[in-house]
Amino acid sequence: MSTIVTLTLNPTVDKSTTADQIIPDQKIRCAAPKFEPGGGGINVSRALKRLGTDSLAVFPVGGPSGTLLRELLTQEQIRQAPVEMHSRTRENFIVVDAASGQQYRFGMPGTALTAEEQHQILQTLKHIDQLPEFLVISGSLPRAWSQNLW
């Protein structure tokens, strides 16, 4: 069995909903929100799980949204090696306009990781029990990522 590790440096909780119609300057009533884990590598881990293959997801996490991200991944039975960070995990917001079928995606920026948090991510990768056959690094970089650590 191959071992796969995914690395997501800018994970997110995606919050999505639908609205009957999106009209500027109007209060828009939405359906109950749906929450999903997201970010490049996390999405790879989720897809692999659906295909019957396990992986280990490595990602920084913090705050209430970080707690939710971990819970969502646990519900999907994704193995995790989260790295705690000082700030909260980012969130994205998606709204589908039911009248037009158009989707509006609002992507929020990730918080800059400190040098210590970046170092801790590298240490987490270094100390994985079994050397992975594949390391998938996918997704955007958070703000102010230090290129010197790589």
Side-chain angles (χ1 to χ4, degrees), residues 46-72:
R46 294 175 71 213
L48 287 169
K49 187 67 171 183
R50 289 185 183 127
L51 294 171
T53 299
D54 256 346
S55 64
L56 174 67
V58 178
F59 55 94
V61 64
S65 53
T67 299
L68 177 57
L69 177 60
R70 291 178 71 180
E71 289 171 2
L72 293 167

Side-chain angles (χ1 to χ4, degrees), residues 5-95:
V5 172
T6 64
L7 175 60
T8 308
L9 295 172
N10 201 18
T12 185
V13 172
D14 290 329
K15 182 178 184 178
S16 61
T17 188
T18 60
D20 290 337
Q21 188 174 18
I22 297 176
I23 303 169
D25 300 321
Q26 299 292 315
K27 183 178 274 190
I28 300 168
R29 304 275 181 212
C30 298
K34 178 179 179 181
F35 298 91
E36 295 180 287
I42 286 174
N43 289 335
V44 170
S45 284
R46 294 175 71 213
L48 287 169
K49 187 67 171 183
R50 289 185 183 127
L51 294 171
T53 299
D54 256 346
S55 64
L56 174 67
V58 178
F59 55 94
V61 64
S65 53
T67 299
L68 177 57
L69 177 60
R70 291 178 71 180
E71 289 171 2
L72 293 167
L73 289 169
T74 298
Q75 289 171 13
E76 293 189 27
Q77 299 177 331
I78 304 294
R79 290 188 317 122
Q80 307 168 46
V83 175
E84 291 296 324
M85 63 178 181
H86 72 284
S87 57
R88 54 187 307 144
T89 300
R90 75 184 176 111
E91 300 175 45
N92 288 334
F93 185 58
I94 301 110
V95 182

